[in-house]
Amino acid sequence: MAGYLIRRLGTALIVVLGIVLVTFLMLHIIAPSPALTILGAKATPAAIKSWNHEHGFDRSVYAQFGTYLSNLLHGNLGWSFKLNQPVTNLFLEKAPLSGFLSGASLIVAVAVALPLGIYQAVKRNSLGDVSATALAMIFYSMPTFLVALLLIQVFALSLGWVDANVPQDQSLSGALGQWWQLILPIVALATTAVASYSRYQRSASLDVLAQDYIKVARAKGLSDRLVYSRHLVRNASLPMITLIGLSLPVLIGGNILIEYAFNINGLGLLFVNSLSGDDYNVLLAYTLITAILTVVGNLVADICLTLSDPRIKLV
């Protein structure tokens, strides 16, 4: 186990560094300096040159990348020139709300998809199975942003059940003070995840139902309830562990669209605003955090799968 973890962590470090390097180079190729964005379109060449020199943008790209890595080792994510404050402070302020949205939507998605997928497998080709499959394919093919707009139109504007205006408090505690206004964003994030998870769960459940130990359990006279609870649920749920780990970047990417659609003051909206304002360090920090969460999610999924299934060994 220890050797496996060391190898995985070493590989993860290389992957994260590669992602940060590629993103850093792409940003600087597209826009070598944010001087015009900060100083304005009427800034003189002398002012732009002075600003670039003051902030190190007149050096080579590789020298700038070396400085950025050095700052990262000291826990410094850089300075937001657009918002005029440290990027670390911005992320600490906005990350809890975004993390809550992703976590809550993941819990809702798993809680709905697991029993739904098992039900579809048990009732294969029934009206309920066909209907759930059709709905899953519809929502799976829809972008998260479109799902959000449809939910706003139906439940907020047409029916008036909820308010489309989400809390503008950037803190998690302040937003939870009006928790009912977070229902639509969470449902929008969870809907596409449910469509994906339920399809995988149905397929995994069908595979388990075809195994010999299910036939033996039924031949021994066990009721369907005991067969499903003792043999089907646990074994069919194992592939979902890996799927959840691989879905972390999808949820994080969905946060960008959902927070933009509902104007939620989280990391997703910060990323969109930084993208339009050439705020390099914020974009790099978001990419770095996403890469780390993706790698960690995959590693945790592998470990959890090994602990859940003794047949799997980490080598």
Side-chain angles (χ1 to χ4, degrees):
M1 175 72 78
Y4 173 81
L5 291 177
I6 293 174
R7 290 194 299 272
R8 283 295 299 269
L9 290 175
T11 304
L13 179 61
I14 296 174
V15 170
V16 171
L17 287 176
I19 292 173
V20 174
L21 175 60
V22 171
T23 306
F24 191 92
L25 293 176
M26 289 178 63
L27 286 174
H28 281 70
I29 291 173
I30 296 173
S33 168
L36 280 176
T37 303
I38 305 303
L39 301 178
K42 296 183 178 181
T44 63
I48 293 176
K49 182 178 180 180
S50 176
W51 191 92
N52 286 335
H53 179 72
E54 179 182 356
H55 295 91
F57 284 94
D58 58 344
R59 298 181 301 157
S60 68
V61 174
Y62 298 103
Q64 294 180 49
F65 184 69
T67 301
Y68 180 74
L69 286 182
S70 176
N71 292 334
L72 285 182
L73 293 177
H74 293 86
N76 181 10
L77 294 175
W79 185 268
S80 172
F81 297 107
K82 194 73 173 180
L83 300 175
N84 197 30
Q85 58 181 304
V87 176
T88 304
N89 293 349
L90 285 172
F91 274 60
L92 290 176
E93 180 183 35
K94 298 177 181 296
L97 181 53
S98 294
F100 173 79
L101 290 176
S102 295
S105 63
L106 179 61
I107 293 173
V108 171
V110 173
V112 174
L114 281 177
L116 178 60
I118 293 174
Y119 167 80
Q120 288 183 258
V122 172
K123 302 295 185 180
R124 182 181 182 183
N125 296 329
S126 65
L127 178 61
D129 178 33
V130 173
S131 301
T133 299
L135 288 175
M137 295 304 296
I138 291 173
F139 285 111
Y140 185 71
S141 62
M142 294 172 61
T144 307
F145 190 84
L146 179 58
V147 174
L149 294 180
L150 290 176
L151 290 175
I152 292 174
Q153 178 62 46
V154 174
F155 294 102
L157 301 181
S158 299
L159 299 177
W161 290 358
V162 293
D163 192 346
N165 297 316
V166 298
Q168 293 304 301
D169 198 314
Q170 297 185 22
S171 65
L172 177 58
S173 58
L176 290 179
Q178 305 176 50
W179 59 268
W180 57 89
Q181 295 184 1
L182 296 175
I183 293 177
L184 283 188
I186 292 175
V187 171
L189 273 172
T191 299
T192 52
V194 168
S196 174
Y197 293 169
S198 63
R199 298 298 300 152
Y200 281 97
Q201 185 62 50
R202 179 183 183 274
S203 178
S205 299
L206 288 175
D207 289 340
V208 172
L209 287 174
Q211 298 300 315
D212 290 337
Y213 57 82
I214 296 292
K215 299 177 183 178
V216 171
R218 283 174 168 165
K220 291 168 61 177
L222 290 180
S223 64
D224 287 341
R225 182 180 61 83
L226 291 177
V227 171
Y228 299 152
S229 61
R230 293 183 181 179
H231 301 283
L232 173 61
V233 175
R234 178 179 178 181
N235 291 289
S237 300
L238 292 178
M240 190 63 67
I241 297 176
T242 303
L243 182 61
I244 293 173
L246 295 175
S247 298
L248 283 179
V250 178
L251 287 173
I252 296 171
N255 262 18
I256 297 177
L257 302 175
I258 293 301
E259 290 181 13
Y260 181 74
F262 289 94
N263 196 31
I264 299 174
N265 285 311
L267 292 179
L269 186 60
L270 175 65
F271 178 85
V272 174
N273 294 334
S274 301
L275 189 62
S276 61
D278 295 335
D279 206 341
Y280 291 156
N281 290 327
V282 174
L283 298 176
L284 285 171
Y286 192 92
T287 305
L288 175 64
I289 298 297
T290 303
I292 291 175
L293 289 178
T294 303
V295 171
V296 170
N298 291 340
L299 179 59
V300 171
D302 288 346
I303 295 175
C304 291
L305 189 61
T306 302
L307 295 176
S308 303
D309 190 348
R311 297 172 298 179
I312 300 176
K313 302 295 182 182
L314 296 180
V315 294

